Amino acid sequence: MGSTFKSNDTPVSEILRSIEKGIIQLPDFQRGWVWDDNRIKALIASITNSYPVGALMFLEYSEGGNVRFKYRPFTGATAIHNPEVLVLDGQQRMTSIFNALFSRQAVLTRTDKNKEIKRFYYLDIERCLNSTTDRVDAIISVPEDKFVRSNFGRDIELDLSTRENECKNNMFPLNIVYDPIEAQMWMNEYQKYYNYDPVILAKYAQFFADILVPIQSYKVPVITLSKETPKEAVCQVFENVNTGGVSLTVFELITATFAADNFELRKDWEKRYKKLIEKSALSVSNQKEAILSVVSSTDFLTAITLLHRYYVKINGGEAISCKKKDVLKLSLSEYQLYADVLTEGFIQAASFLKEQRIFSARDLPYSTQLMPLAVIFSILKTRTQDSIIKEKISTWYWCGVFGEMYGGANETRYANDVGGMIDWINGGNEPDTVQRAYFQPTRLLSLQTRLSAAYKGVMALILKEGCLDFISGSAMDFTVYLDENTDIHHIFPRAYCEAKQFNKTKWNSIVNKTPLFARTNRIIGGNAPTDYLMKIEKSNHVARTNLDHHIKTHKIDVNDLRSDNFDEFFIKRAKSLLGLISEAMSKSIPNLNGEDVIAGFGGRLD
């Protein structure tokens, strides 16, 4: 296979003329030009010293080529030509050079304090020829009117508003340096202004040879990718060379591709995202907590690719796949065909998760599992209302959570699970995630924070069992979950456990935690269970029999709590939680009485 690129040193003058004509332009996904005045001067100084300023990377472009993007001219250019080349790396440098050294308009730039200014750039001939002067100090930027003022604008320090004044002050205008005719005319006027003084003639000759010729003949290395370069390679190359700039996502590339057909993908996505938030939030005031707030624009494109490739597969085409290269092949017609269906699929997925008692984004075990889940709902549509089908989806979902299957690179799993789930629902074998899922009993001990998907999953199962707040007896459903600031709290409080010097691995694990309203947690405080239960009863918050009932809904043995028997409580609740996990996964939990389990929990779980 031949090389997909070529490399050569190219005169900057040639590049600038191509930019002006529009032969060289920018892909629309490139960010705007952002260089400030000082950085422009430093770049010019490097060029005048013939220092390297880095290689450029171009992409050959044609309307019928392998890659189609919406394109735009460089800032300051008046493009009159369809591009033959797009710049992938070097936009900031070439825009600075073009505007400061080629365009006749004032350069719109910024100060180091980010204040917008317009500037023209000059070379101070005297300073350029002074070997003790730093070259950057010989580059002068002046305001748009070409007056440099001081004393709050009252005094004029430098006037370059006329050609005569430029000559008088020995200031060569840089925006004519690549125009041989204009540069020659300026030299003639400069020499004429000084009456062809031999000293001046010699000085200008030195300036021309040492400064202007190196600028006019300056070359930069250019790597040019062929127009046959695949889109995923363009994306990878852009990410590699723009490590200090804005990352180019799959979404940005697809946006630029669709824009070539006058479709504004970003606006379409923003509209859909707003709908996802509104439909998945528990209330208008809690939209930031909406389950679907975690869905990114790239996630949506990945899911559409999954959906599209599923239908390609069942019609005899290629296998289901949603890797980056597959997403980048997505056409506008395919996007438009599936976008509405998938949007509804995500909304149905959010409703399903609420039924599983996952109400908010922070409590979502895996955001990545949302993609295949939404695609499954998109394919099955109303069939998901059948209880048998919904049970299978639930089993698959919880196997993914407690088997901890969605924590790494998932594109292959997405594809396998979408096809596998539909096959299973239609009478085939279980999908890979269900077959391979496994939960080790001692994993409960390492579930210490909500950073773990399984930790969040256990909390959701406790909620799903219909647990009631200890004091109010209110069910923790979506109507009160966020309004009551429901959170996960210790059953044997932390302060009590630390005072008793209990094993932290046990008391800080999921086994000793449960969801409670914020008010209830404040009343419990750091007291022993016997003390806080007595406090609750004496304060007439709730009758004893009702309190016992509320506690039992959390899979807690009330007698162990009322006797402060942490060890017995721990064994029994661990067994109850394992039972919930087993039921959710539709799998038995193996090795319940293995030596490591007995040692870890301090007793048998059978």
Side-chain angles (χ1 to χ4, degrees), residues 8 68 97 177 220 284 405 411 452 458 493 502 577:
N8 62 285
R68 288 185 67 236
I97 294 170
V177 69
V220 289
V284 174
M405 303 290 212
E411 290 87 353
S452 163
V458 171
F502 291 157
L577 296 184

Side-chain angles (χ1 to χ4, degrees), residues 315-327:
N315 287 314
E318 298 177 308
I320 304 172
S321 181
C322 61
K323 296 182 183 298
K324 180 185 285 187
K325 65 178 182 179
D326 303 307
V327 179

Side-chain angles (χ1 to χ4, degrees), residues 32-83:
W33 181 52
V34 295
W35 275 22
D36 62 34
D37 181 53
N38 287 332
R39 199 166 183 183
I40 294 172
K41 288 192 284 188
L43 177 66
I44 296 170
S46 293
I47 294 173
T48 64
N49 282 315
S50 297
Y51 295 160
V53 296
L56 307 178
M57 185 166 289
F58 293 171
L59 171 68
E60 292 179 345
Y61 188 80
S62 66
E63 290 297 326
N66 190 44
V67 177
R68 288 185 67 236
F69 293 132
K70 184 178 180 181
Y71 47 81
R72 57 182 170 84
F74 275 73
T75 300
T78 55
I80 56 174
H81 196 285
N82 289 333

Side-chain angles (χ1 to χ4, degrees), residues 16 19 33 40 44 74-77 91-108 119-121 174-175:
L16 296 176
I19 288 174
W33 181 52
I40 294 172
I44 296 170
F74 275 73
T75 300
Q91 175 204 1
Q92 302 295 323
R93 285 167 287 161
M94 291 314 303
T95 305
S96 298
I97 294 170
F98 178 81
N99 281 274
L101 277 64
F102 194 90
S103 172
R104 299 304 167 84
Q105 304 300 315
V107 182
L108 179 61
R119 289 291 186 265
F120 285 103
Y121 292 87
L174 270 165
N175 62 0

Side-chain angles (χ1 to χ4, degrees), residues 225-248:
L225 304 181
S226 74
K227 56 188 174 184
E228 283 75 33
T229 303
K231 198 180 298 180
E232 62 268 24
V234 174
C235 186
Q236 186 63 54
V237 166
F238 189 90
E239 289 176 348
N240 290 341
V241 300
N242 281 272
T243 54
V246 177
S247 176
L248 177 65

